Amino acid sequence: MPRRSAAQVEMSRHATLDAAVQVASVVGLDGVTIGSLAEELGMSKSGLVGRFGSKQELQLATLERAANVFREVVYDRAAGAPEGLARLNAICDAWIAYLARPPFPGGCFMTTVSVEFDARDGPIADAVRTFMRRWLRALEHQARLAVDAGELQSDPADVAFTLNALAVGANCDFQLHRDERSLRRARAAMAAVLAAPSAHDRMS
Amino acid sequence: MPRRSAAQVEMSRHATLDAAVQVASVVGLDGVTIGSLAEELGMSKSGLVGRFGSKQELQLATLERAANVFREVVYDRAAGAPEGLARLNAICDAWIAYLARPPFPGGCFMTTVSVEFDARDGPIADAVRTFMRRWLRALEHQARLAVDAGELQSDPADVAFTLNALAVGANCDFQLHRDERSLRRARAAMAAVLAAPSAHDRMS
C-alpha cells in the first residue's frame, strides 16, 4: 500500500467520522462501534482500531466532529451579525435552519446523545455535558451583551436556557411528526423571548 | 404451580411492565427484550413470552404503561382545577413536579422513546406519535377553552406546542446537569406563555 500524505490521512479521518456521525444520529452513539463502522465503510476493523484506538475514542471523536459541524452551521454562520440581540436572532435563524435540514439523518445529534447519555457517567457523558455547557454559555454571553446594550431586560442565563429548551423541544417534535409548523412555532417563541422587556420580566 | 387468580395475573403483569419501564427509561425501549427482562426479573423467557407474546408486544405494552403513569401523574393530578387557564397552570405544575422527581430513573420516558424512535417507522414509532399527538391535543383543548373564556389570546396550538417544547427541553437539560434551576426556568417560561396577551400576540 502506498504511503499517504498527512492531508489524505486527515481527509480519510474526517470521512470516517462523518459516517460515524450519520450512524449515531439515528441509532445513538452506542451504535457506533469499531465493528459496525468497519462494516458500514467496508474497512477492516484493524484499520479503524489503528485510526482511533478504542470504541470509546471513536465515540469521543464522533461527538467532537458533530459538535464542530453544529458550531460551523449554527454559531459561525451567525458570526457576521453584530454581537448582542442581533447575534442571538441570527443564531436562532441558523439554528432553526439546521433543525429543518439537519446535516445528520436523525436530526439534532446533540439532542440524541444528550438523551442517550444523560443517566450515565463516564467520559462520553462528561463530553456531552461540557459541550452543552459551552453552548449555553455562548448564548448567555450574547444575552448579557444584549442586556448591557439595553436591548434586552431578562436574565441572560434564563434567555440561554429558554432558547435551548425551545430548540431541543422543537427538534423532538419535528423529528417525530415532520411538520414544519413545529419550527415556525419554535422560532416565534424564540422571538417572544428576545422581543419584549415586558415578556422577559415575566419570565425571569 | 397453583393456578393464580385473574387479579394476581394482572398485578404480576403490572409489576413486569413497571420493571420494563424502568429499564427503558435509561437504555431505551430497544433495550427491553424478552431476554433482558427475564434476566432482570429472574423469570423464565417462556414465562414472559406467554405473558406478552413477542418483543414488540412487550415494548408496546411498556409504552402504554408509561403513558398511563404520565397521564395519572400529570393530567389526572391537575383534573381538579377549573378547565382553561387554571387547568393549564395546574398541568404545568404537575408536569414540572414529574420532571423533578420522575417515576422512571432515566427521566421523562416519552422524551427518551421519542428521540429513540423518531427516525423510524413501525408500530412502536406510530404508538409514540399517537401518544404525543393526543397529549398535544389535550393541551390545545385547554388552551382553546382559555381563549374562549377570554383568559388567553394566543393560538391554542402554538400554546400547546410551546409548553411541550419547554418541558422536553427542560427534561433534557435537567437530566444532563441535575440543576433544579432548569425546572424553575422552564416553569417561568411556561408562565410567560400563559400570562400575557401581549406576549402571546408576539408569539403567534
Side-chain angles (χ1 to χ4, degrees):
Chain A
M1 191 163 105
R3 292 188 60 179
R4 300 188 306 164
S5 70
Q8 281 175 319
V9 169
E10 190 54 28
M11 263 182 60
S12 155
R13 186 183 154 90
H14 266 198
T16 307
L17 287 178
D18 282 341
V21 168
Q22 303 282 320
V23 170
S25 82
V26 176
V27 300
L29 208 45
D30 261 352
V32 178
T33 61
I34 298 280
S36 71
L37 199 60
E39 201 178 305
E40 176 88 14
L41 293 169
M43 280 181 65
S44 70
K45 281 195 195 189
S46 58
L48 273 176
V49 168
R51 194 167 289 166
F52 294 101
S54 65
K55 174 184 167 181
Q56 189 175 87
E57 283 171 73
L58 169 63
Q59 290 177 333
L60 284 170
T62 302
L63 188 64
E64 194 192 340
R65 174 78 186 130
N68 286 341
V69 170
F70 181 84
R71 198 180 56 213
E72 282 162 27
V73 174
V74 179
Y75 188 73
D76 294 353
R77 195 152 294 172
E83 291 202 296
L85 188 62
R87 178 75 62 91
L88 283 173
N89 270 306
I91 287 172
C92 289
D93 286 339
W95 207 348
I96 294 292
Y98 159 86
L99 297 179
R101 281 169 298 280
F104 323 122
C108 179
F109 184 94
M110 286 301 159
T111 301
T112 301
V113 293
S114 284
V115 170
E116 187 180 7
F117 284 91
D118 59 17
R120 307 195 208 173
D121 293 317
I124 294 169
D126 288 345
V128 174
R129 287 188 188 99
T130 299
F131 168 81
M132 289 304 296
R133 279 209 193 89
R134 245 182 234 154
W135 177 234
L136 271 282
R137 271 207 296 265
L139 294 173
E140 188 180 336
H141 174 66
Q142 293 301 327
R144 195 174 305 280
L145 293 175
V147 170
D148 291 348
E151 301 169 324
L152 203 58
Q153 295 184 23
S154 317
D155 178 79
D158 288 354
V159 170
F161 167 84
T162 308
L163 294 179
N164 189 62
L166 288 167
V168 170
N171 176 64
C172 289
D173 195 84
F174 179 63
Q175 285 297 314
L176 205 56
H177 304 297
R178 308 281 162 169
D179 180 343
E180 295 272 349
R181 283 176 298 183
S182 309
L183 303 176
R184 288 204 300 275
R185 286 177 172 135
R187 187 62 187 88
M190 288 170 166
V193 171
L194 296 177
S198 61
H200 306 139
D201 288 345
R202 270 177 222 112
M203 293 185 44
S204 52
Chain B
M1 190 163 108
R3 292 190 58 180
R4 301 188 306 165
S5 70
Q8 281 174 320
V9 169
E10 190 56 27
M11 262 181 62
S12 155
R13 185 184 155 89
H14 267 199
T16 306
L17 287 178
D18 283 342
V21 168
Q22 303 283 320
V23 170
S25 81
V26 176
V27 300
L29 208 44
D30 261 352
V32 178
T33 61
I34 298 281
S36 71
L37 199 60
E39 200 178 307
E40 175 87 14
L41 293 168
M43 281 181 64
S44 70
K45 280 194 194 189
S46 59
L48 273 176
V49 169
R51 195 168 288 165
F52 294 101
S54 65
K55 173 184 167 182
Q56 188 175 88
E57 283 171 73
L58 169 63
Q59 291 177 332
L60 284 171
T62 302
L63 188 64
E64 194 191 340
R65 175 78 186 129
N68 286 341
V69 171
F70 181 83
R71 197 179 56 214
E72 283 163 25
V73 174
V74 178
Y75 188 73
D76 294 353
R77 194 152 295 172
E83 291 202 297
L85 189 62
R87 180 73 63 89
L88 283 174
N89 271 304
I91 287 172
C92 289
D93 286 340
W95 207 348
I96 293 292
Y98 159 86
L99 296 180
R101 281 169 298 281
F104 322 122
C108 179
F109 184 93
M110 286 300 159
T111 301
T112 301
V113 294
S114 284
V115 170
E116 187 180 6
F117 284 91
D118 60 16
R120 308 193 208 173
D121 292 318
I124 295 170
D126 288 345
V128 173
R129 285 185 189 103
T130 300
F131 168 81
M132 290 304 296
R133 278 209 193 89
R134 249 184 229 151
W135 177 235
L136 271 282
R137 270 206 296 267
L139 294 173
E140 187 180 337
H141 174 65
Q142 293 300 327
R144 194 174 305 280
L145 294 175
V147 169
D148 291 348
E151 300 170 323
L152 202 58
Q153 294 184 23
S154 317
D155 179 78
D158 288 354
V159 170
F161 167 84
T162 308
L163 294 180
N164 190 62
L166 288 168
V168 169
N171 177 63
C172 290
D173 195 83
F174 179 63
Q175 285 297 315
L176 205 57
H177 304 297
R178 307 280 163 173
D179 181 343
E180 295 272 348
R181 284 176 298 183
S182 308
L183 303 175
R184 287 205 300 276
R185 285 178 173 135
R187 187 63 187 89
M190 288 170 166
V193 172
L194 296 176
S198 60
H200 307 137
D201 287 345
R202 271 180 219 108
M203 292 184 49
S204 52

